[in-house]
Structures are given as structure tokens and as C-alpha cells.
Amino acid sequence: MINYIVSGLERSGTSMMMQILYKGGMPVAFDYSRPPNDHNPKGYYELEGGKIINRLMDGTFPMEKYREKFIKITAYGLKFLPKGKYKIIYMIRNIDEIMDSMEKMSGPINREEEKPLFEKLNRYAIQLMKKRDDIDYIIVNYNKVIKNPRREIERVNEFLGGKLDVESAVKAVDPKLYRNVREVKK
Amino acid sequence: MTEKEGKGKYTTVSIPTPLAEKIKRRIEGTGFNSISSYVTYVLRELLASMEEEEEEVFSKEDEEKIKERLRALGYLD
């Protein structure tokens, strides 16, 4: 039994990926404790208002309850994943866009100080996934999803063994809703 | 360095002849049966130690700053 996770730094497109999976017919677990707002008009697609990191830290998150379903655990939470069997879709995004978006949502950011820290957290999370033999992962670039949703969603579908309804999933990507997009790297 | 080893996939890397000669002398009487096997061994060791060095480690202070931002974003209590 596998636990499926969408991860990445906060504001890296994790909610968008959850929505893609949901529309594409994958089992996705979320609640409405954090309702949609201006920062995520289509919803956060997360559990317990996004605060499951606290429960992972103290070991009370019931991972077994979410087997065979996708849940969202942002990058820092991966540090506290118990042993198991995981498939993780890890979102990356232009770090300046992430900072722009974090700033809009949570107030002024000292970029000189915080940008390198979040870049480091990203590298840390990717190293962790690489090292753990109970984790299989794919890295998906948010900016590439916006630019070419079908191609990226097909990659995700391949990672999931062809379980995704790509046609429906592609429709979840609405570039108009995704602001703060800088240059898309090929 | 054009020798082929085993049945795996290999590619050719050029190194200066004097260096190859030096390696040839160095591996005489050792368990290495070719320049390639020695260079492969050395590079593997080097890369492994570099990867170890590059391992991301957070200081308590760094981690606290990350947590502060996560709290502000609503991802931590």
C-alpha cells in the first residue's frame, strides 16, 4: 500500500498539482479547513488547514488512513515522514516567484536572508527523497506546467502508471489564475 | 583512456598522456588492471566525498527562520 504525496515549497504549485490530480480522477484527500481565498482561488487541497507538519513532527498524523490517496505535505514536512512506501510528486518553481507569492500572503520578506534558506530547503528535500529507499519521486516544474500542461501531466501520468485521465487533468490548469510568473526556463 | 571494461556501458575520456603514464606506473603491482579502472575508482571516491560534503544541513537558527515563515503562511502552529 502506497502513500501518495504532493510536496514542494509553499507557493510552488502544490495546490495546482492536487487539483490536476483530483480532476484527473486520482483519489485525493483534503478538507475545507482552509477555504479558497485570493491567494489560492481554487482552494488549497490540503488537510487540517495545511498544518499537518505539526502532527508529523509529533508522530500523531495517521498516515495509514491515507494510503492509496494523494495528500499534500509541503517540503519541510518530508523531514518527518515515518518509514513507509511513498510516491511523491515534488513541485519546483522559480524561487523569485515563490518569494513574491509568499510575500503577498504573509508579509514582507528579507529576501537576502530567506531566499537562500528556502533554496536550501528545496535541495534538502530533494536529497532526502533521493536517499530514502522507501520513496519514489518525480520533480515537476510549475512554470513548465503553466507553459505546456499536457506534456507535464503526461509525465506525471507515466509516473503514476497511467492511472490519470490526462484530458480532464489538463483542464485543471488555468494560466490566468497563476500570477507572479516570471521567465519559463526550458 | 580507450580501454573497455566488462559488459557495462562506457564512454571515452581523454587525459594527458603524461598523466596516463604516471597512473600506469602507479598501478603497477596493485589490483588495478587498467588505467580506466583506477581512474574510475578515484573519480567515484571523489564524487562520493563531494556529495557528502554538499549534504544540506540546517543550523537551529536557519530552521527557526524557516519555521517562522511557515507559521506566517499558516503551515505551522
Short mmCIF file of all heavy atoms in Angstrom, two decimals, chain A residues 10 34 46 49-51 53-54 76 79 102 105-109 113-114 117-118 120-121 123-124 127 131, chain B residues 51-59 61-77:
data_model
loop_
_atom_site.label_atom_id
_atom_site.label_comp_id
_atom_site.label_asym_id
_atom_site.label_seq_id
_atom_site.Cartn_x
_atom_site.Cartn_y
_atom_site.Cartn_z
N GLU A 10 6.19 25.83 -0.05
CA GLU A 10 4.91 26.53 -0.05
C GLU A 10 4.92 27.52 -1.23
O GLU A 10 5.94 28.14 -1.52
CB GLU A 10 4.73 27.29 1.26
CG GLU A 10 4.47 26.39 2.47
CD GLU A 10 5.64 25.54 2.91
OE1 GLU A 10 6.77 25.81 2.46
OE2 GLU A 10 5.44 24.62 3.70
N ARG A 34 -9.10 25.20 5.42
CA ARG A 34 -8.62 26.50 4.91
C ARG A 34 -9.36 26.74 3.59
O ARG A 34 -9.03 26.13 2.57
CB ARG A 34 -7.11 26.50 4.71
CG ARG A 34 -6.64 27.76 4.02
CD ARG A 34 -5.28 28.28 4.41
NE ARG A 34 -4.16 27.37 4.30
CZ ARG A 34 -2.90 27.76 4.53
NH1 ARG A 34 -2.64 29.01 4.87
NH2 ARG A 34 -1.92 26.89 4.43
N GLU A 46 -5.77 20.78 0.95
CA GLU A 46 -4.90 20.26 2.00
C GLU A 46 -5.72 19.79 3.20
O GLU A 46 -6.92 20.06 3.28
CB GLU A 46 -3.88 21.33 2.41
CG GLU A 46 -4.53 22.59 2.93
CD GLU A 46 -3.57 23.79 2.93
OE1 GLU A 46 -2.49 23.73 2.36
OE2 GLU A 46 -3.95 24.80 3.54
N GLY A 49 -6.08 22.37 7.46
CA GLY A 49 -5.62 23.74 7.22
C GLY A 49 -4.15 23.82 6.88
O GLY A 49 -3.52 24.86 7.08
N GLY A 50 -3.58 22.75 6.37
CA GLY A 50 -2.17 22.75 5.98
C GLY A 50 -1.22 22.49 7.13
O GLY A 50 -0.01 22.47 6.95
N LYS A 51 -1.80 22.30 8.31
CA LYS A 51 -0.92 22.22 9.48
C LYS A 51 -0.57 20.79 9.89
O LYS A 51 -0.31 20.51 11.06
CB LYS A 51 -1.55 22.97 10.65
CG LYS A 51 -1.51 24.47 10.38
CD LYS A 51 -2.05 25.28 11.50
CE LYS A 51 -1.93 26.75 11.15
NZ LYS A 51 -2.84 27.60 11.86
N ILE A 53 2.07 19.32 9.30
CA ILE A 53 3.51 19.22 9.65
C ILE A 53 3.65 19.05 11.16
O ILE A 53 4.45 18.23 11.63
CB ILE A 53 4.30 20.45 9.16
CG1 ILE A 53 4.31 20.50 7.63
CG2 ILE A 53 5.75 20.41 9.67
CD1 ILE A 53 5.01 21.70 7.03
N ASN A 54 2.84 19.81 11.92
CA ASN A 54 2.90 19.68 13.39
C ASN A 54 2.63 18.24 13.82
O ASN A 54 3.30 17.71 14.71
CB ASN A 54 1.84 20.58 14.05
CG ASN A 54 2.24 22.03 14.01
OD1 ASN A 54 1.75 22.78 13.17
ND2 ASN A 54 3.15 22.43 14.88
N TYR A 76 9.08 20.99 4.10
CA TYR A 76 9.65 20.82 5.45
C TYR A 76 9.07 19.58 6.13
O TYR A 76 9.77 18.90 6.89
CB TYR A 76 9.37 22.09 6.28
CG TYR A 76 10.01 22.07 7.65
CD1 TYR A 76 11.39 22.07 7.79
CD2 TYR A 76 9.23 22.03 8.80
CE1 TYR A 76 11.98 22.04 9.03
CE2 TYR A 76 9.82 22.01 10.06
CZ TYR A 76 11.19 22.01 10.18
OH TYR A 76 11.78 21.97 11.41
N LYS A 79 10.70 15.94 6.13
CA LYS A 79 11.73 15.60 7.13
C LYS A 79 11.18 14.64 8.19
O LYS A 79 11.93 13.90 8.81
CB LYS A 79 12.17 16.93 7.78
CG LYS A 79 13.32 16.81 8.72
CD LYS A 79 13.73 18.17 9.27
CE LYS A 79 14.83 17.96 10.30
NZ LYS A 79 15.20 19.18 10.98
N MET A 102 4.92 34.32 -1.52
CA MET A 102 4.96 34.23 -0.04
C MET A 102 4.79 35.61 0.56
O MET A 102 4.11 35.78 1.56
CB MET A 102 6.31 33.65 0.43
CG MET A 102 6.43 32.14 0.32
SD MET A 102 8.01 31.64 1.08
CE MET A 102 7.93 29.87 0.89
N MET A 105 1.31 36.77 0.58
CA MET A 105 0.46 36.02 1.50
C MET A 105 0.79 36.27 2.97
O MET A 105 -0.09 36.24 3.83
CB MET A 105 0.61 34.52 1.19
CG MET A 105 -0.43 33.65 1.80
SD MET A 105 -0.24 31.99 1.13
CE MET A 105 -1.27 31.08 2.30
N SER A 106 2.08 36.50 3.25
CA SER A 106 2.45 36.52 4.67
C SER A 106 3.20 37.77 5.12
O SER A 106 3.68 37.83 6.25
CB SER A 106 3.30 35.28 4.98
OG SER A 106 4.50 35.31 4.24
N GLY A 107 3.34 38.73 4.24
CA GLY A 107 4.00 39.97 4.65
C GLY A 107 5.46 40.03 4.20
O GLY A 107 5.98 39.08 3.62
N PRO A 108 6.10 41.16 4.48
CA PRO A 108 7.45 41.44 3.96
C PRO A 108 8.47 40.33 4.25
O PRO A 108 8.46 39.74 5.33
CB PRO A 108 7.86 42.72 4.69
CG PRO A 108 6.60 43.31 5.19
CD PRO A 108 5.62 42.22 5.37
N ILE A 109 9.30 40.09 3.25
CA ILE A 109 10.32 39.05 3.37
C ILE A 109 11.69 39.69 3.18
O ILE A 109 11.88 40.48 2.26
CB ILE A 109 10.11 37.96 2.29
CG1 ILE A 109 8.89 37.11 2.63
CG2 ILE A 109 11.34 37.09 2.12
CD1 ILE A 109 8.60 36.00 1.63
N GLU A 113 18.07 37.09 3.11
CA GLU A 113 18.20 36.08 4.15
C GLU A 113 17.36 34.83 3.84
O GLU A 113 17.83 33.71 3.97
CB GLU A 113 17.74 36.70 5.47
CG GLU A 113 18.09 35.91 6.68
CD GLU A 113 17.65 36.67 7.93
OE1 GLU A 113 16.51 36.46 8.37
OE2 GLU A 113 18.45 37.44 8.44
N GLU A 114 16.12 35.05 3.42
CA GLU A 114 15.19 33.91 3.31
C GLU A 114 15.30 33.14 1.99
O GLU A 114 15.08 31.93 1.96
CB GLU A 114 13.75 34.39 3.53
CG GLU A 114 13.52 34.80 4.98
CD GLU A 114 12.06 34.99 5.32
OE1 GLU A 114 11.22 34.19 4.90
OE2 GLU A 114 11.76 35.98 6.02
N LEU A 117 17.67 30.37 2.19
CA LEU A 117 17.17 29.34 3.12
C LEU A 117 16.16 28.42 2.45
O LEU A 117 16.21 27.20 2.62
CB LEU A 117 16.49 30.01 4.33
CG LEU A 117 17.38 30.50 5.45
CD1 LEU A 117 16.54 31.11 6.55
CD2 LEU A 117 18.22 29.36 6.00
N PHE A 118 15.26 29.01 1.68
CA PHE A 118 14.26 28.19 1.00
C PHE A 118 14.86 27.41 -0.17
O PHE A 118 14.43 26.29 -0.47
CB PHE A 118 13.03 29.02 0.60
CG PHE A 118 12.10 29.22 1.76
CD1 PHE A 118 12.17 30.35 2.55
CD2 PHE A 118 11.19 28.24 2.11
CE1 PHE A 118 11.35 30.51 3.66
CE2 PHE A 118 10.36 28.38 3.21
CZ PHE A 118 10.43 29.52 4.00
N LYS A 120 17.79 26.21 -0.02
CA LYS A 120 18.45 25.14 0.72
C LYS A 120 17.43 24.06 1.12
O LYS A 120 17.69 22.86 1.02
CB LYS A 120 19.11 25.73 1.96
CG LYS A 120 20.12 24.85 2.62
CD LYS A 120 20.79 25.65 3.75
CE LYS A 120 21.79 24.84 4.48
NZ LYS A 120 22.44 25.58 5.56
N LEU A 121 16.26 24.52 1.57
CA LEU A 121 15.21 23.58 1.96
C LEU A 121 14.80 22.71 0.77
O LEU A 121 14.58 21.51 0.90
CB LEU A 121 14.00 24.34 2.53
CG LEU A 121 12.78 23.50 2.93
CD1 LEU A 121 13.13 22.43 3.96
CD2 LEU A 121 11.66 24.38 3.47
N ARG A 123 16.70 21.90 -1.81
CA ARG A 123 17.78 20.92 -2.06
C ARG A 123 17.74 19.83 -1.01
O ARG A 123 17.91 18.65 -1.30
CB ARG A 123 19.16 21.62 -2.05
CG ARG A 123 19.40 22.53 -3.23
CD ARG A 123 20.88 22.91 -3.33
NE ARG A 123 21.37 23.58 -2.14
CZ ARG A 123 21.31 24.90 -1.94
NH1 ARG A 123 20.82 25.69 -2.86
NH2 ARG A 123 21.78 25.45 -0.82
N TYR A 124 17.48 20.22 0.23
CA TYR A 124 17.42 19.26 1.33
C TYR A 124 16.33 18.22 1.06
O TYR A 124 16.55 17.01 1.21
CB TYR A 124 17.15 20.01 2.64
CG TYR A 124 16.86 19.10 3.82
CD1 TYR A 124 17.91 18.58 4.57
CD2 TYR A 124 15.56 18.76 4.14
CE1 TYR A 124 17.64 17.73 5.64
CE2 TYR A 124 15.28 17.91 5.20
CZ TYR A 124 16.33 17.40 5.94
OH TYR A 124 16.06 16.55 6.99
N GLN A 127 17.31 15.89 -1.78
CA GLN A 127 18.34 14.93 -1.31
C GLN A 127 17.70 13.84 -0.47
O GLN A 127 18.04 12.66 -0.60
CB GLN A 127 19.37 15.66 -0.45
CG GLN A 127 20.53 16.22 -1.22
CD GLN A 127 21.56 16.88 -0.30
OE1 GLN A 127 21.43 16.88 0.93
NE2 GLN A 127 22.58 17.46 -0.89
N LYS A 131 17.74 9.85 -1.14
CA LYS A 131 18.40 8.94 -0.22
C LYS A 131 17.50 7.83 0.29
O LYS A 131 17.94 6.71 0.52
CB LYS A 131 18.91 9.71 1.00
CG LYS A 131 20.28 10.28 0.83
CD LYS A 131 20.71 10.86 2.16
CE LYS A 131 21.93 11.73 2.04
NZ LYS A 131 22.15 12.48 3.28
N GLU B 51 29.71 14.67 -2.66
CA GLU B 51 28.27 14.62 -2.34
C GLU B 51 28.04 14.68 -0.84
O GLU B 51 27.12 15.32 -0.37
CB GLU B 51 27.64 13.36 -2.94
CG GLU B 51 27.27 13.57 -4.40
CD GLU B 51 26.98 12.28 -5.13
OE1 GLU B 51 26.74 11.26 -4.47
OE2 GLU B 51 26.99 12.30 -6.38
N GLU B 52 28.92 13.99 -0.12
CA GLU B 52 28.80 14.01 1.33
C GLU B 52 28.98 15.43 1.88
O GLU B 52 28.23 15.89 2.72
CB GLU B 52 29.88 13.11 1.93
CG GLU B 52 29.32 12.09 2.91
CD GLU B 52 30.35 11.04 3.20
OE1 GLU B 52 31.19 11.30 4.07
OE2 GLU B 52 30.32 9.99 2.54
N GLU B 53 30.00 16.10 1.32
CA GLU B 53 30.28 17.47 1.75
C GLU B 53 29.12 18.39 1.46
O GLU B 53 28.82 19.30 2.21
CB GLU B 53 31.50 18.02 1.01
CG GLU B 53 32.81 17.58 1.60
CD GLU B 53 33.97 17.90 0.66
OE1 GLU B 53 33.86 18.84 -0.13
OE2 GLU B 53 34.97 17.17 0.72
N GLU B 54 28.45 18.15 0.32
CA GLU B 54 27.39 19.06 -0.10
C GLU B 54 26.06 18.80 0.61
O GLU B 54 25.09 19.46 0.34
CB GLU B 54 27.18 18.94 -1.62
CG GLU B 54 28.30 19.60 -2.42
CD GLU B 54 28.34 19.10 -3.85
OE1 GLU B 54 27.42 18.39 -4.26
OE2 GLU B 54 29.31 19.42 -4.53
N GLU B 55 26.02 17.80 1.45
CA GLU B 55 24.77 17.48 2.13
C GLU B 55 24.25 18.70 2.88
O GLU B 55 24.98 19.38 3.57
CB GLU B 55 25.00 16.33 3.11
CG GLU B 55 23.71 15.73 3.58
CD GLU B 55 23.97 14.43 4.32
OE1 GLU B 55 24.88 13.71 3.91
OE2 GLU B 55 23.25 14.18 5.28
N GLU B 56 22.98 18.97 2.66
CA GLU B 56 22.39 20.16 3.27
C GLU B 56 22.13 19.95 4.75
O GLU B 56 21.49 18.99 5.14
CB GLU B 56 21.07 20.51 2.57
CG GLU B 56 21.22 20.83 1.10
CD GLU B 56 22.06 22.08 0.83
OE1 GLU B 56 22.31 22.85 1.76
OE2 GLU B 56 22.46 22.25 -0.32
N VAL B 57 22.67 20.81 5.53
CA VAL B 57 22.45 20.73 6.97
C VAL B 57 21.95 22.10 7.43
O VAL B 57 22.47 23.13 7.02
CB VAL B 57 23.75 20.40 7.71
CG1 VAL B 57 23.52 20.31 9.21
CG2 VAL B 57 24.34 19.08 7.20
N PHE B 58 20.92 22.07 8.26
CA PHE B 58 20.37 23.33 8.76
C PHE B 58 20.87 23.59 10.17
O PHE B 58 20.84 22.70 11.01
CB PHE B 58 18.84 23.26 8.80
CG PHE B 58 18.23 23.36 7.44
CD1 PHE B 58 17.78 22.23 6.78
CD2 PHE B 58 18.10 24.59 6.82
CE1 PHE B 58 17.23 22.33 5.53
CE2 PHE B 58 17.55 24.70 5.56
CZ PHE B 58 17.11 23.56 4.92
N SER B 59 21.27 24.83 10.40
CA SER B 59 21.56 25.21 11.78
C SER B 59 20.22 25.41 12.47
O SER B 59 19.19 25.61 11.80
CB SER B 59 22.37 26.51 11.81
OG SER B 59 21.57 27.56 11.31
N GLU B 61 19.27 27.95 13.96
CA GLU B 61 18.82 29.30 13.64
C GLU B 61 18.14 29.35 12.27
O GLU B 61 17.07 29.93 12.11
CB GLU B 61 20.06 30.22 13.65
CG GLU B 61 19.75 31.69 13.74
CD GLU B 61 21.00 32.53 13.51
OE1 GLU B 61 22.11 31.99 13.70
OE2 GLU B 61 20.86 33.69 13.13
N ASP B 62 18.75 28.67 11.28
CA ASP B 62 18.16 28.61 9.93
C ASP B 62 16.79 27.95 9.98
O ASP B 62 15.83 28.41 9.38
CB ASP B 62 19.04 27.77 8.99
CG ASP B 62 20.28 28.52 8.54
OD1 ASP B 62 20.38 29.72 8.84
OD2 ASP B 62 21.13 27.89 7.89
N GLU B 63 16.74 26.84 10.71
CA GLU B 63 15.50 26.08 10.78
C GLU B 63 14.40 26.92 11.44
O GLU B 63 13.25 26.90 11.02
CB GLU B 63 15.73 24.77 11.54
CG GLU B 63 14.67 23.74 11.19
CD GLU B 63 15.08 22.32 11.55
OE1 GLU B 63 16.28 22.06 11.72
OE2 GLU B 63 14.17 21.49 11.64
N GLU B 64 14.81 27.67 12.43
CA GLU B 64 13.82 28.51 13.13
C GLU B 64 13.28 29.60 12.21
O GLU B 64 12.08 29.90 12.23
CB GLU B 64 14.47 29.11 14.39
CG GLU B 64 13.51 29.46 15.50
CD GLU B 64 12.35 28.48 15.71
OE1 GLU B 64 12.58 27.27 15.99
OE2 GLU B 64 11.20 28.92 15.56
N LYS B 65 14.14 30.13 11.35
CA LYS B 65 13.69 31.16 10.40
C LYS B 65 12.70 30.57 9.39
O LYS B 65 11.72 31.20 9.03
CB LYS B 65 14.90 31.76 9.67
CG LYS B 65 15.58 32.84 10.48
CD LYS B 65 16.79 33.40 9.77
CE LYS B 65 17.61 34.24 10.74
NZ LYS B 65 19.03 34.26 10.40
N ILE B 66 12.99 29.36 8.96
CA ILE B 66 12.06 28.69 8.03
C ILE B 66 10.72 28.47 8.72
O ILE B 66 9.66 28.76 8.18
CB ILE B 66 12.65 27.35 7.53
CG1 ILE B 66 13.76 27.64 6.51
CG2 ILE B 66 11.58 26.47 6.90
CD1 ILE B 66 14.49 26.43 6.02
N LYS B 67 10.79 27.99 9.95
CA LYS B 67 9.56 27.72 10.69
C LYS B 67 8.75 29.00 10.91
O LYS B 67 7.52 28.99 10.85
CB LYS B 67 9.88 27.03 12.03
CG LYS B 67 10.19 25.54 11.83
CD LYS B 67 10.98 24.97 12.95
CE LYS B 67 10.15 24.35 14.03
NZ LYS B 67 10.99 23.66 15.03
N GLU B 68 9.46 30.08 11.15
CA GLU B 68 8.78 31.37 11.33
C GLU B 68 7.97 31.73 10.09
O GLU B 68 6.82 32.16 10.17
CB GLU B 68 9.83 32.46 11.54
CG GLU B 68 9.82 33.10 12.92
CD GLU B 68 11.00 34.02 13.07
OE1 GLU B 68 11.09 35.02 12.34
OE2 GLU B 68 11.87 33.70 13.91
N ARG B 69 8.59 31.56 8.93
CA ARG B 69 7.89 31.87 7.68
C ARG B 69 6.72 30.91 7.47
O ARG B 69 5.64 31.31 7.04
CB ARG B 69 8.88 31.82 6.49
CG ARG B 69 8.27 32.11 5.13
CD ARG B 69 7.60 33.46 5.01
NE ARG B 69 8.49 34.56 5.35
CZ ARG B 69 8.09 35.83 5.55
NH1 ARG B 69 6.83 36.16 5.44
NH2 ARG B 69 8.96 36.76 5.87
N LEU B 70 6.93 29.64 7.79
CA LEU B 70 5.84 28.66 7.63
C LEU B 70 4.66 29.01 8.54
O LEU B 70 3.51 28.83 8.17
CB LEU B 70 6.32 27.23 7.89
CG LEU B 70 7.42 26.69 6.97
CD1 LEU B 70 7.64 25.20 7.19
CD2 LEU B 70 7.09 26.93 5.51
N ARG B 71 4.98 29.51 9.72
CA ARG B 71 3.90 29.94 10.63
C ARG B 71 3.14 31.11 10.01
O ARG B 71 1.92 31.12 10.00
CB ARG B 71 4.48 30.35 11.99
CG ARG B 71 4.80 29.18 12.86
CD ARG B 71 5.24 29.60 14.27
NE ARG B 71 6.01 28.52 14.84
CZ ARG B 71 7.33 28.51 14.98
NH1 ARG B 71 8.04 29.57 14.65
NH2 ARG B 71 7.96 27.45 15.48
N ALA B 72 3.89 32.05 9.47
CA ALA B 72 3.25 33.23 8.87
C ALA B 72 2.37 32.83 7.68
O ALA B 72 1.35 33.45 7.41
CB ALA B 72 4.32 34.22 8.42
N LEU B 73 2.77 31.76 7.00
CA LEU B 73 1.98 31.28 5.85
C LEU B 73 0.85 30.36 6.27
O LEU B 73 0.04 29.94 5.45
CB LEU B 73 2.91 30.52 4.87
CG LEU B 73 3.91 31.36 4.09
CD1 LEU B 73 5.00 30.47 3.50
CD2 LEU B 73 3.22 32.14 2.97
N GLY B 74 0.82 30.01 7.54
CA GLY B 74 -0.25 29.16 8.06
C GLY B 74 0.03 27.67 7.95
O GLY B 74 -0.90 26.87 7.99
N TYR B 75 1.29 27.27 7.81
CA TYR B 75 1.60 25.86 7.68
C TYR B 75 2.13 25.21 8.96
O TYR B 75 2.42 24.03 9.00
CB TYR B 75 2.60 25.63 6.54
CG TYR B 75 1.94 25.72 5.20
CD1 TYR B 75 1.87 26.93 4.52
CD2 TYR B 75 1.33 24.62 4.61
CE1 TYR B 75 1.24 27.05 3.29
CE2 TYR B 75 0.70 24.71 3.39
CZ TYR B 75 0.66 25.92 2.74
OH TYR B 75 0.02 26.01 1.53
N LEU B 76 2.28 26.03 9.97
CA LEU B 76 2.76 25.50 11.26
C LEU B 76 2.06 26.27 12.38
O LEU B 76 1.75 27.45 12.22
CB LEU B 76 4.27 25.74 11.40
CG LEU B 76 5.26 24.65 11.08
CD1 LEU B 76 6.66 25.15 11.38
CD2 LEU B 76 5.00 23.35 11.82
N ASP B 77 1.88 25.59 13.49
CA ASP B 77 1.33 26.29 14.66
C ASP B 77 2.46 26.94 15.43
O ASP B 77 3.56 26.43 15.47
CB ASP B 77 0.60 25.30 15.56
CG ASP B 77 -0.81 25.07 15.04
OD1 ASP B 77 -1.36 26.00 14.41
OD2 ASP B 77 -1.33 23.97 15.26
#
